């Protein structure tokens, strides 16, 4: 099992979710985050004081899938989230040693 | 000023109380003197009408847009109070209320030339009449911004409403209230169904069409970012509207009382009716529906508030709910245009209904008119407004497009949000905003 | 209408200025004529009293509930302005203010039958009196919703307040202000300690008890989701209350001035006193305390605002802070009932205190009364209200329960929140709301 | 009371309309009688001035601070309405408006001794004059809190504004409006450029300096946590200011009309001018700029609103935008002091400009004065205020420091936020707040 | 050391925290997230337009514990967070290679 | 590649970001979280009811870096985020098996 953590541009959420649904991904957990990266931020003005804002709003998607799904999920996210412009985000893959469904106590792949 | 015909037509009973001084004055009888009571009410009404724009309308619209665009809405309201306020005293008041032209007044009272603290307009200082009418000139152009919210550039917006005020609003105000051509027709428009709501609603529609829909419209949802703000806004519009409608009596008298009462009852009826429709049509009444209904009811009763009786006002409100609901939920979706916050559906359509209803349910037909001739006068004046306002607006927009370039923000700006793109600000900020003080800007 | 006794009793000095025209009129003297000044103030007051409900009360309560329930509170306020507004002109005004019955009026003025723009009520158009009183009829039932907030179904709520208006509010308004039975007792209730605050407060308590506590009450914390909204609400209640209290003079005169002043000073005193108590009892004064104190002070001075002098009003405010603090922090927790937003503790108890204090600190006992007889009149009228209102309310609720089924939302709905469950809306939405445009609904 | 000189000097035309009764009264002619119209307007104005503080100023400032400090700002406004309200009726009104002293009045009217509902002050009940002026006494000290926001302890704040009211505000009010020394100089200060804005602005500056800058000031950004709240606040300030300025005519007449009109036009001009400056200087007009400009325009026109004509008011507004922009964006950053919300830059500087501009653009020089002598009177009175207010303030602060200990919260409290540290509350709470009901507190 | 990531229904936070405290778990980090899964969403209405909301509010708990605690923590969360109805959430277990306490620089299990 | 997850006091964000920039860390993802730990919470009052608030506002930083950077990044965060007072937070290190840049499809270290 892997945890796929994808950081994407917020307005891409719908498309990514749509694409993943077709893969029969059963669950996604989404967090509002702020991202700092190569994409340059902007300047804000408050009564003549100028602030540089380096952190931009992003969404972080966490998806735990069985190992055999990993490649397809990554590819799908990449296609759906891509605009080709800087700041499109990253996908990180982490190993998950166990998963449990709280409702039933099921473990492993069947908990997803 | 020629209030005479207006007075005769707008009052519920034959002998029009509110403006009878005008008739007297024209007839050369004893000059009216200052009434502190009327003045007190008109000062209050003026403040109430500003409350409608700031913060009423600003919040009503501001809550409905997405987080990234709320400041652009607030700023568009603020600047209307700024620029329209100046145009009004420079030339607006004079063009609307000085002179006898059929279509527009003259420039005799530019910069309020010749008016002093002791100049009267009826029983109130003319200064008070100037500012009361000025508050109307501030809110009317701002009403339009809802139609093209979340996509128009700030500069072109300011240019558009400035020219629109002079080319559309002021002539209509003169024609209807300044003794011009529509007043001669005998049309009833007590507080501005034609001048304010139809003019802005129909113009807003063409502006929305001309600018095109928001990116993603119809595919991505664009739900209101804060319904509580919208409800505060609707509530303050409601409260302020008493100044708008009952203030249009220009006196603290029975006509003001009637206008106040009908304003309340029409709005009550619209709120209840809309909730019932939603309950039947969708299973649940919504808060946004309630707030929208309130505004629709207020719009519809505006032209009618002094010509119908209390039962009539209930019908006006019920009709507003039915017709506006149908427009904003069915017709708009069918036609697919992106009138972001339903300015046309609420103000354009609601104003039209109100202008008709002012006579449909009239309590007493004015002298020299029959019910039929009065209806006919309404239809003519509705037709004139419904043609003139959008036609003039589209011409203004096309010319501005040629002079100023794109009226719309870039796609990137639209995605990023107008607050950042046009004003370099964010509405809400938290500790994780990740700002740093820049070198150029220094501390603050 | 029989204002005579009321007038004699409510004014600070023997010769009651505010309503003396009523006496005159009854005595067959010169008919009163329209006063533009009085009318101006009463128009303003009417707008101010609506401001109390929308957005004042809506925000005060709305900020105190959890995020998932704020819209339900706003909608319950909006619909009160809708439904009560209609009932008031249909039958309410007539039942309250037409006819000489001891307990209730008659239906002669149904739909304001016989009233026109030139009908006067004292020195103001009767239309203005109708709408001023109508605004009271809108806020009073809405006050109750705080007690059963976060758990009552919308439909039963509407049914409850509609019947309650007719069965509880209108008879009390008639008995106290319409020349009925309590007026005959000689009780002083200038702006509605009995009619408005006790009636709603005591009824709210039985409703809260009948509906039962919120799930998790006493175990899970239910802190206010937005204190800034609550403070805005309290502030607008404060501002609007000047219309409520000083408007109850029905004139712009010395009594109105007195009522305005005492309203302010009592509220100031309550805010200061509450902060002191909290400082001593808890170590720190809180903002929610300040807002609550303001409302408690305003409630308490309501019946008393024209019968006490400025020093008396300070005592009224101090007493309100002490007594209401004790109720909402100690007694409620001891007894364990779930009056969600302390309607009983603030309006029920504060109103009772105010009705007593109106005479405890009276500046001048009315002719024909002694201090003792006046106190006795107060106690009797307090007793009647404290029994009648909750008794009638519980009967209404039991009947509604039989007719409409559960008055309370399901456990799931309560957990999910009333906004979604009852209105299919969320108050706040962000880009991660994860909505998608549905097929049936189309664009928007 | 000695309004005579004031009247002569503040009115636009020689024969001062608004207060001519005062002159009459002094001349021994017929005693003025109650004007219901004037009273109606003054009751309304009093409510409007409270609206400026609650919720106007509270929100304007509250939106500008960081999330963790908003409640402290709201509470500081609430408590001002409490404590100042009490001090005003206890001794304030008497010290300001009773007696003929050059610097301060007497205590004859302590607790409004000798005033009843039928005591008149000109054409309005004296009670109404008392409360109208009382609302000024509530807002003025609260204006200062913006300068030392986010760091002052609550207790010392209350002590400071209480003493400040008596030592700074009341003497100035007496000197300028109560017939004292500055009135004798002939200075024009119609609605309070000296008494309200300079006094608070200059005092606020020394308080900010004395307390020191916020931790991290100049290094970490401290952006407004909610610009929408700030805009609501600015809008309500704007609306309420009509009561402040036009109410200062103490009548519903031509002077009130003039003051209302110039208030609007100056503010419009300031908003437009500020936006232009920002556009040129920074490339984009901001919403915070718009809101700040509105307040700056309102401040500047306050002393001048009845002495300039409409064109003059436009210059006043333009000047306010230019000068205040320069102060809050350039001068403050250069000098590096931490006037958190720019009380000095807006009220201190804007008030000074307004007091000068009242004569620079005067429409008609009062009898017995030349333009030069009038300017000189202004400069003298500006100088007196600019020296007296900050000097007295610093003494109060030093003494308080000795008596009460640190006026500032601890570093930990400043980091944690004043809401928690001083009031044990959080402004906003969500389900992940992770609270649990404590044993001691019980349910709620 | 393991990172236990639990996605739960928001109103269960108190109970879970209580239960974990008794296990002497020393720290929890909580994030507000939106979850998409088998639990069906709801419909919202805005001026007659109907939106389907698939993402529901959830809380994500992150708890880093020594290996010997893992089983007990999982079990405790499962018991406390369970309602038996769909949407109760998941528990994922990830491997943590190191932990540092910022204040002291302690490393490993003693940093928890 | 490692995922470094740091939980810090919110007001330290600027300093940490600054310090990491000098290390040429290319990206950071920040989440607002609530933390429960040894640092004691506070009490809140609402109309006389007293609530204990155990969860305090923290920020969670996620930084994925190549293995050779891990030590330096940890050290830098620790120095910059440290106040020496309880509640300064933790740093957890997790293994990342893959990283993808959405815009370009680059994988591994070059995707960071
Ligand atoms: N090394 C990293 N660790 C954690 N998050 C990162 C890292 N690099 C980038 N991110 C996240 O990805 C987002 C996009 O990265 P950025 O460098 O701006 O553009 P791109 O993904 O096109 O290279 C950032 O805003 C940040 O949230
Ligand atoms: N594969 C997954 N990866 C990440 N998060 C998931 C996954 N499956 C479920 N979740 C999270 O768990 C929550 C509950 O899952 P759901 O399928 O609705 O019910 P249940 O847990 O009862 O099976 C979801 O809202 C989502 O946040
Ligand atoms: N075992 C843990 N698992 C996850 N997060 C933790 C753990 N321990 C602490 N934290 C997080 O770190 C923060 C600081 O921890 P705390 O125990 O208060 O102080 P310190 O870091 O000084 O020991 C907590 O608020 C919590 O967010």
């Amino acid at each position: 099992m892997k945890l796929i953590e994808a950081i994407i541009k917020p307005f891409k959420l719908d498309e990514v979710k749509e694409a993943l649904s077709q893969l029969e991904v059963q669950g996604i957990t989404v967090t509002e985050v702020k991202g700092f990266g190569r994409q340059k931020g902007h300047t804000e003005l408050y009564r003549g004081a100028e602030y540089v804002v380096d952190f931009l709003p992003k969404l972080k998607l966490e998806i735990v899938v069985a190992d055999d799904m990993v490649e397809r999920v990554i590819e799908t996210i990449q296609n759906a989230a891509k605009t080709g412009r800087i700041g499109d985000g990253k996908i990180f893959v982490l190993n998950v040693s166990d998963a449990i469904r709280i409702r039933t106590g099921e473990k492993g792949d069947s908990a997803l | 000023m020629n209030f005479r015909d207006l007075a005769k037509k707008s009052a519920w009973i034959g002998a029009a109380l509110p403006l009878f001084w005008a008739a007297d004055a024209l007839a050369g009888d004893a000059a009216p003197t200052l009434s502190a009571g009327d003045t007190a009410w008109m000062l209050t009404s003026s403040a109430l009408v500003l409350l409608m724009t700031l913060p009423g309308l600003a919040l009503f619209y501001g809550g409905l847009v997405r987080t990234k665009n709320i400041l652009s809405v607030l700023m568009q309201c603020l600047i209307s109070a700024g620029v329209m306020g100046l145009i009004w005293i420079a030339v607006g008041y004079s063009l609307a209320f000085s002179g006898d032209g059929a279509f527009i007044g003259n420039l005799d009272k530019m910069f309020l030339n010749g008016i002093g603290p002791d100049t009267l307009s009826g029983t109130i200082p003319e200064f008070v009449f100037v500012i009361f009418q000025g508050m109307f000139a501030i809110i009317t152009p701002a009403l339009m911004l809802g139609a093209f919210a979340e996509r128009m550039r700030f500069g072109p917006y300011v240019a558009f409403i400035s020219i629109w005020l002079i080319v559309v609003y002021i002539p209509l105000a003169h024609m209807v209230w300044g003794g011009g051509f529509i007043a001669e027709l005998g049309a009833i428009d007590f507080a501005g169904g034609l001048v304010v709501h139809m003019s802005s609603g129909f113009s807003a529609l063409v502006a929305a069409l001309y600018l095109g829909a928001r990116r993603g419209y119809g595919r991505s949802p664009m739900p209101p970012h804060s319904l509580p703000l919208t409800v505060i806004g609707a509530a303050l519009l409601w409260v302020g509207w008493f100044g708008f409608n009952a203030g249009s009596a220009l006196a603290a008298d029975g006509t003001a009382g009637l206008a106040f009462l009908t304003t309340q009852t029409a709005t009550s009826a619209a709120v209840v009716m809309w909730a019932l429709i939603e309950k039947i049509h969708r299973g649940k009444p919504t808060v946004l529906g309630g707030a929208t209904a309130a505004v629709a009811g207020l719009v519809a009763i505006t032209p009618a508030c002094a010509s119908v009786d209390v039962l009539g006002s209930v019908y006006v409100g019920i009709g507003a709910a039915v017709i506006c609901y149908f427009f904003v939920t069915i017709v708009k979706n069918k036609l697919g245009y992106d009138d972001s916050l339903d300015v046309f559906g609420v103000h354009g359509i609601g104003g039209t209904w109100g202008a008709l209803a002012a006579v449909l349910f009239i309590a007493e037909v004015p002298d020299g008119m029959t019910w039929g001739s009065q209806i006919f006068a309404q239809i003519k004046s509705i037709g004139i407004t419904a043609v003139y306002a959008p036609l003039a607006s589209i011409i203004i927009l096309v010319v501005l497009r040629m002079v100023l370039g794109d009226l719309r923000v870039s796609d990137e700006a639209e995605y990023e949000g107008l607050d950042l793109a046009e004003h370099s600000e964010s509405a809400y900020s938290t500790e994780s905003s990740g700002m740093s003080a820049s070198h150029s800007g220094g501390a603050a």
Side-chain angles (χ1 to χ4, degrees), chain A, chain B:
Chain A
M1 259 176 313
K2 298 277 190 249
L3 167 64
I4 297 172
E5 181 172 319
I7 291 148
I8 64 169
K9 290 187 170 165
F11 75 108
K12 281 292 190 178
L13 177 61
D14 253 22
E15 276 173 68
V16 173
K17 190 195 68 181
E18 215 54 57
L20 288 174
S21 297
Q22 273 149 25
L23 273 194
E24 313 228 337
V25 165
Q26 299 286 357
I28 310 176
T29 300
V30 182
T31 314
E32 295 186 32
V33 298
K34 301 269 182 166
F36 168 76
R38 279 177 194 75
Q39 184 186 5
K40 74 170 185 8
H42 53 258
T43 295
E44 298 191 11
L45 291 171
Y46 297 101
R47 282 204 184 139
E50 202 165 78
Y51 299 124
V52 176
V53 178
D54 301 314
F55 288 91
L56 299 168
K58 301 279 172 189
L59 293 182
K60 182 172 88 179
L61 277 53
E62 288 171 286
I63 308 152
V64 177
V65 293
D67 292 327
D68 58 347
M69 293 269 293
V70 173
E71 277 317 305
R72 265 178 302 156
V73 168
I74 291 178
E75 212 172 305
T76 306
I77 295 175
Q78 210 209 321
N79 288 335
K82 185 171 171 172
T83 68
R85 279 195 300 273
I86 201 162
D88 274 356
K90 316 276 177 186
I91 303 171
F92 303 125
V93 184
L94 285 89
N95 208 47
V96 174
S97 53
D98 210 352
I100 296 97
R101 187 194 307 277
I102 291 175
R103 173 163 47 99
T104 59
E106 284 159 277
K107 294 214 167 186
D109 284 2
S110 69
L112 301 181
Chain B
M1 247 172 298
N2 179 357
F3 280 129
R4 188 171 206 163
D5 302 322
L6 174 65
K8 291 258 278 292
K9 266 134 206 159
S10 63
W12 189 29
I13 20 176
L17 284 173
L19 300 167
F20 79 113
W21 49 263
D24 277 349
L26 290 171
D29 291 356
T33 54
L34 182 97
S35 159
D38 293 347
T39 302
W41 174 236
M42 294 313 297
L43 290 166
T44 304
S45 291
S46 303
L48 286 172
V49 181
L50 183 65
L51 182 79
M52 289 174 68
T53 310
L54 292 174
L57 187 71
L59 294 178
F60 181 66
Y61 282 171
L64 289 174
V65 297
R66 287 165 291 171
T67 313
K68 61 185 178 185
N69 295 318
I70 174 177
L71 297 180
S72 74
V73 167
L74 302 183
M75 188 65 183
Q76 290 178 353
C77 287
L78 262 173
I79 206 71
S80 184
V83 178
M84 302 304 104
L86 294 183
I87 296 177
W88 186 252
I89 55 134
V91 297
Y93 175 69
S94 188
L95 286 173
F97 290 100
S98 168
D100 291 328
F103 299 103
I104 195 148
N106 60 31
L107 290 172
D108 288 359
K109 294 191 178 174
M110 256 178 77
F111 282 104
L112 311 189
N113 185 28
I115 311 177
D118 49 5
T119 315
L120 293 188
S121 166
T123 58
I124 62 172
E126 186 163 355
F127 278 157
V128 177
F129 183 69
V130 170
I131 195 65
F132 178 67
Q133 291 294 342
M135 296 309 189
F136 281 56
I138 283 170
I139 194 169
T140 308
L143 289 174
M144 294 190 288
L145 73 88
F148 43 75
E150 310 201 290
R151 58 195 185 281
M152 192 166 187
R153 280 170 58 214
F154 182 69
Y157 163 79
V158 176
F160 174 57
I161 62 169
S162 302
I163 301 174
W164 187 88
L165 187 81
I166 294 171
V167 174
V168 179
Y169 180 79
I170 287 172
L172 277 170
H174 179 77
M175 287 189 256
V176 175
W177 294 329
F181 162 60
I182 297 179
E184 298 296 328
L185 284 182
I188 292 178
D189 186 20
F190 192 73
L194 305 166
V195 181
V196 174
H197 297 291
M198 281 191 63
S199 72
S200 61
F202 280 78
S203 299
L205 177 64
V206 302
L209 289 169
Y210 186 68
L211 281 163
R214 288 165 292 175
R215 304 281 147 230
Y217 177 70
R219 277 170 296 117
S220 317
M222 300 171 176
H225 92 282
S226 173
L227 283 175
L229 287 189
T230 293
V231 173
I232 304 179
L236 293 179
L237 281 167
W238 191 336
V239 170
W241 221 293
F242 294 121
F244 201 91
N245 284 2
S248 290
L250 302 178
D253 60 10
T255 303
L258 171 67
F260 197 115
L261 180 70
T262 54
T263 299
Q264 177 66 19
T265 47
T267 310
S268 292
V271 168
V272 173
M273 190 67 200
W274 194 294
L276 281 175
I277 298 173
E278 284 194 322
K279 174 79 190 163
I280 293 163
H281 183 208
R282 291 298 198 172
K284 289 175 191 172
T286 67
V287 176
L288 178 53
T292 308
V295 176
L298 290 160
V299 165
I301 195 65
T302 298
C305 61
S307 62
V308 302
D309 62 13
V310 68
L311 214 59
S313 75
V314 171
Y315 302 143
V316 173
I318 290 174
V322 173
I323 297 169
C324 293
Y325 183 84
F326 183 69
F327 254 84
V328 306
T329 69
I330 315 283
V331 177
K332 186 174 77 158
N333 288 336
K334 276 274 151 53
L335 299 183
Y337 61 88
D338 182 13
D339 173 6
S340 317
L341 314 178
D342 292 309
V343 181
F344 179 67
V346 172
H347 296 272
I349 296 300
T352 307
W353 160 247
L356 261 183
V359 172
L360 276 185
F361 307 112
I362 199 164
E364 202 172 311
V365 177
D367 287 350
M369 295 293 252
T370 63
W371 192 82
S373 71
Q374 187 67 58
I375 284 276
F376 190 59
Q378 297 302 106
I379 292 175
K380 262 196 291 190
S381 63
I382 287 170
I384 293 165
T385 311
V387 170
Y388 178 66
L391 204 72
S393 296
I394 192 71
I395 295 171
I396 302 172
L397 289 165
V398 170
V399 172
L400 282 178
R401 174 77 183 72
M402 285 168 7
V403 178
L404 300 177
D406 223 335
L407 306 181
R408 219 182 137 121
V409 296
S410 69
D411 283 11
E412 287 91 304
E414 193 174 340
Y415 153 62
E416 187 185 25
L418 271 61
D419 295 358
L420 278 176
E422 294 283 298
H423 308 292
S424 285
E425 291 168 297
S426 303
Y428 309 101
S429 100
T430 61
E431 269 200 278
S432 73
S433 300
M435 290 186 179
S436 36
S438 105
H439 297 292
S440 67

